[in-house]
Amino acid sequence: MSDSPEAPAFLQGIEKVLDLLSKICLIIAGVALVTMTLMFAWLVYGRYVLNDTPTWVEQVSHLLLMVIAFLGAAVGVRQDTHLAVVLFRTTVPTKVRTVFVFITDVLMASFGGLMFWYGLQLTQFKWNSLIPLIRVPEGLRSLPLTICGALVFLFSLTHLIRLLLGRDERKDSIE
């Protein structure tokens, strides 16, 4: 985000760590997307050429889809590219906009905290049962939700810190 000299050192350090986390999430989601694409190519080849459908593809693709969706959503919060309704924020004066942004960030941090808490409980509850056909813990299905919740909480919290320190550089767009 911002590395200008006025930014407090702790904020610069946090920003670098969170930027790294965001990049790691993007890489993992990208690898998951490519893997899922290759798996479906194998599924089609197996079904129509070999006449032997690989049954594990559907279960693994569900896991990969969770990784792609939830890590992508967390990165969207970090980069402020997630789906947002900004019409009201762009039509009001700057002071009112700041209040709207503050409320949005508090709600997003709260939502992320709840996602983490309940996702963790769901992951722990489901961990001892296995997903059919691939024999891995069922809790893996909700692990991306849990990780996303923690990341959304952290990313929203840093948005709040920057906002309160007068360092918020986000721009609303209705394009």
Side-chain angles (χ1 to χ4, degrees), residues 32-125:
L33 184 61
V34 169
T35 302
M36 194 164 77
T37 303
L38 293 174
M39 283 178 9
F40 276 106
W42 176 252
L43 175 76
V44 170
Y45 180 78
R47 180 176 292 159
Y48 295 108
V49 176
L50 302 176
N51 200 26
D52 183 23
T53 303
T55 56
W56 54 269
V57 171
E58 182 181 351
Q59 296 298 329
V60 175
S61 67
H62 286 153
L63 290 174
L64 293 174
L65 184 61
M66 297 295 282
V67 169
I68 295 163
F70 283 111
L71 292 184
V75 170
V77 170
R78 172 73 182 149
Q79 296 177 351
D80 202 40
T81 57
H82 60 84
L83 180 62
V85 180
V86 296
L87 180 62
F88 296 115
R89 292 192 323 216
T90 57
T91 59
V92 297
T94 303
K95 289 184 181 187
V96 177
R97 178 201 174 275
T98 303
V99 171
F100 284 171
V101 170
F102 178 81
I103 291 170
T104 302
D105 288 341
V106 168
L107 289 172
M108 287 298 293
S110 301
F111 182 71
L114 290 171
M115 277 178 63
F116 171 73
W117 178 253
Y118 289 108
L120 184 61
Q121 289 180 351
L122 182 61
T123 301
Q124 290 171 340
F125 175 74

Side-chain angles (χ1 to χ4, degrees), residues 60 63 126-127 129-140:
V60 175
L63 290 174
K126 304 281 277 173
W127 198 261
S129 58
L130 298 177
I131 298 174
L133 301 175
I134 58 175
R135 311 284 302 158
V136 298
E138 183 76 40
L140 286 176

Side-chain angles (χ1 to χ4, degrees), residues 1-4 6-7 11-12 15 19 162 167 169:
M1 294 302 189
S2 176
D3 289 326
S4 65
E6 304 92 34
L11 188 58
Q12 289 182 19
E15 294 289 347
D19 283 343
R162 277 197 319 270
R167 312 257 333 130
E169 298 173 354

